Amino acid sequence: MTYLLATYGLFLLPFQLGRRALVKRQVYGVTLLLIFVFSAFRFEVGCDWSGYYFQYLKADRPSLQLALEGGEPLWWSILYLMNTQNIPYPVANVISSAIFFVGVHLLARRQPNPLAFLVLLFPILIINMPMSAIRQGAGVGLLCVALAAFIDRKPVWCAVWIVLASGFHSSAAVFLILLPLATGNYARSRIMLAAVLAIPGVLLLSGGDAAEIAVDRYVGTGVDAAGAAFRVGVLVLSGLFFFLFLRRPWRRQFPSDFALAHLFSMAMVLLIALVPVSSVIGDRLGYFLIPVQAMIFARVPFLDIPNRKLMTLLPYIGLALMFTVWTSVSYHFQQCYLPYNSWLFGFPNSLWSGL
């Protein structure tokens, strides 16, 4: 009930505040802080709580050396420093959430309605990333910074932030495909080059060990895999929504970030090709697409389209229904997120021992 009330309340905010832009921005700041605290200071909440705790325990020097030679060195470096300095494990959640929400903020402030963008991230991305898969959550936050650089047409900085994101979650490296388009040249030849560059990254993620690791980390059961298929399905529908109703008015009214919305919408639709192979791999990539999905949904009220009020409501209704069903029938959700606890309210002995 805590999560449902939070989601319904957040979804109502953009509508209750109407056209009061200044008030919306003030409420946005408070809301961002409250969601950060809700995410960062949770205790024994999230499906990956124990998994990351065991990573924290084994983050010794040999493990760090292996990580530096292999992948995701930034994540293991943080765990190693925490371990050697006797910083308790739950602080890893604070660090990851801080990275995630700073990135979200940098992308949100480029939106006409930052509050709507933020609240649309809550029921899927925030619950699943900084509140569970914290390593990928940090990667998503850094990718948001890269997307802001993409909008600003700064390809070098876009590349830097994507590389840093892959230091937390190697799958973020796939988004180096953005670089041919980050200068603002959105010619067909550039799009084809980006598509060609995407192939090696997708094959790397879907092959052998990578797929097995993805299943272990994000799913664990057949029920979770089914949930992944539903999340991928929502992304596919979101991409189709953009192409059917928003593409032309967006290009006319918001040319500065049209390339980002268009490219990511194509990626959303193409995720359907991954479902027969592995819905989990599609889900893994899909989390990186959700910030642009939220950007698309939050932009609808500002586009000159037929039935704009109905089109504005549809994403909120759809996400609310999906989240309600998930929280009501998912064993995965019941086991991972309930009850909600925060170490701000106590747990001193458990906190300093990690669990």
Side-chain angles (χ1 to χ4, degrees):
M1 185 60 71
T2 299
Y3 297 93
L4 286 177
L5 290 176
T7 299
Y8 298 157
L10 289 171
F11 276 14
L12 287 173
L13 280 176
F15 299 98
Q16 290 175 329
L17 298 176
R19 297 179 179 272
R20 292 174 287 181
L22 178 60
V23 177
K24 281 184 179 179
R25 291 188 178 273
Q26 293 171 337
V27 172
Y28 160 78
V30 175
T31 304
L32 181 69
L33 177 61
L34 290 176
I35 297 178
F36 165 72
V37 171
F38 187 77
S39 166
F41 296 95
R42 61 195 167 85
F43 186 79
E44 296 183 345
V45 173
C47 296
D48 289 352
W49 179 277
S50 298
Y52 286 121
Y53 172 60
F54 290 118
Q55 286 190 5
Y56 165 81
L57 291 180
K58 70 176 186 179
D60 51 15
R61 187 172 293 276
S63 296
L64 178 61
Q65 291 173 342
L66 288 173
L68 294 174
E69 295 170 0
E72 298 157 351
L74 293 180
W75 171 248
W76 284 99
S77 296
I78 289 173
L79 290 184
Y80 172 74
L81 290 172
M82 288 179 58
N83 205 315
T84 56
Q85 299 303 312
N86 295 318
I87 298 173
Y89 159 65
V91 175
N93 299 321
V94 180
I95 295 171
S96 174
S97 287
I99 295 171
F100 175 85
F101 284 103
V102 167
V104 164
H105 172 66
L106 290 176
L107 190 56
R109 69 182 188 177
R110 285 164 171 77
Q111 309 308 315
N113 189 346
L115 179 63
F117 171 78
L118 175 63
V119 302
L120 286 163
L121 294 176
F122 182 77
I124 305 299
L125 188 66
I126 292 174
I127 296 295
N128 283 283
M129 291 290 103
M131 290 192 64
S132 185
I134 60 175
R135 188 169 54 86
Q136 187 173 357
V140 171
L142 291 171
L143 181 67
C144 286
V145 184
L147 298 183
F150 181 93
I151 293 171
D152 295 340
R153 300 185 180 182
K154 297 178 178 179
V156 174
W157 280 111
C158 183
V160 168
W161 291 114
I162 291 172
V163 170
L164 290 175
S166 66
F168 283 93
H169 204 273
S170 58
S171 59
V174 171
F175 293 92
L176 288 170
I177 65 170
L178 294 172
L179 298 185
L181 306 170
T183 60
N185 187 342
Y186 198 52
R188 184 171 298 178
S189 59
R190 294 287 184 111
I191 298 174
M192 293 300 296
L193 176 59
V196 170
L197 290 175
I199 294 172
V202 173
L203 290 176
L204 178 65
L205 285 173
S206 59
D209 293 340
E212 184 177 346
I213 291 171
V215 172
D216 290 340
R217 287 176 178 168
Y218 301 114
V219 182
T221 68
V223 174
D224 292 345
F230 282 114
R231 286 187 291 271
V232 170
V234 170
L235 282 167
V236 172
L237 291 174
S238 301
L240 292 174
F241 179 71
F242 174 84
F243 283 110
L244 291 173
F245 302 108
L246 310 180
R247 182 174 61 88
R248 290 181 180 177
W250 193 305
R251 186 166 202 163
R252 184 173 60 251
Q253 294 176 242
F254 297 102
S256 63
D257 54 18
F258 171 77
L260 181 64
H262 191 254
L263 189 64
F264 270 60
S265 293
M266 285 194 292
M268 292 176 202
V269 175
L270 291 174
L271 282 179
I272 197 170
L274 286 174
V275 173
V277 178
S278 171
S279 62
V280 181
I281 299 300
D283 196 40
R284 184 182 186 182
L285 288 172
Y287 284 119
F288 287 107
L289 305 181
I290 290 178
V292 178
Q293 178 198 50
M295 187 177 87
I296 290 169
F297 289 161
R299 194 70 60 90
V300 174
F302 301 91
L303 294 171
D304 185 15
I305 57 175
N307 303 312
R308 186 167 55 189
K309 290 185 178 180
L310 175 61
M311 295 294 188
T312 299
L313 284 171
L314 284 177
Y316 291 91
I317 295 171
L319 288 175
L321 287 174
M322 180 180 176
F323 189 65
T324 301
V325 172
W326 180 40
T327 56
S328 301
V329 305
S330 171
Y331 176 80
H332 164 274
F333 185 90
Q334 304 293 326
Q335 292 297 307
C336 294
Y337 294 100
L338 298 177
Y340 175 82
N341 290 312
S342 171
W343 58 269
L344 287 177
F345 306 130
F347 312 102
N349 294 327
S350 295
L351 171 60
W352 292 94
S353 63
L355 277 175

